[in-house]
Amino acid sequence: MEYLTHSLIDKSEALQIVNRLKTEKSSWQDGKITAGSHAAKIKSNFQLDKNSNLSIELREIIVNKIISNPLLKSFTLPNLIHGVMFTQSKDGNGYGSHIDNPYMPSGRSDLSFTLFLNSPEDYNGGELCIQTTNKTEKIKLSAGEMIIYPSTQLHSVAKVKDGERYVCVGWIQSYVQNNEDRNFLFGLDAGAKSLLAKHGRSDELDLIFQAYSNILRRLGD
Ligand code: NI
């Protein structure tokens, strides 16, 4: 299972978002309302009303940051970034092991992401736990950092203790649905871009970029 962690926004920008979320009193809803019947039993958190002005404004900022980031774009090959929401988990809140719905009203989930908004020192617990065959990866990142991982993985959020956890979560429908195919392309693109940076343009690199584009065209939907 390949995942990517990356700094999406400055810490100060992330904390500014948290301050705005904290002062928004009226638009927080029980997280169970967007969970299926199975997930509702294990999901305990609060989420900002997706239709609130604050949610709409912040969502646009986050989506634009993702699509204008060359590394994230190359890793995810985003066709649609969707379902983006802001969640708050207080003392005792968490989210048991589950798999995200493959098809949501907003789009297909090929990749899931969590952008950590407040500092990890603000709370105990609250790790994103991604299950792989042999172990569970526990992820807790600094304010402004995000993790993008395949939606094919079982995952959970450890119970939050002593504090509050603010994150932004969402899904990416990729042009390339298959995780392995997408990772092959990511490696090829990274290698070609690195050659370009080291040696500049060449006829050979043109051929590599041509091959990349045509494989993407073949694999993409
Ligand atoms: Ni999930």
Side-chain angles (χ1 to χ4, degrees), residues 152-163:
T152 47
Q153 302 306 117
L154 277 168
H155 56 277
S156 59
V157 177
K159 265 190 185 162
V160 170
K161 285 172 241 158
D162 314 316

Side-chain angles (χ1 to χ4, degrees), residues 95 98-100 149 155 171:
Y95 197 164
H98 67 280
I99 188 84
D100 293 341
Y149 58 100
H155 56 277
W171 292 271

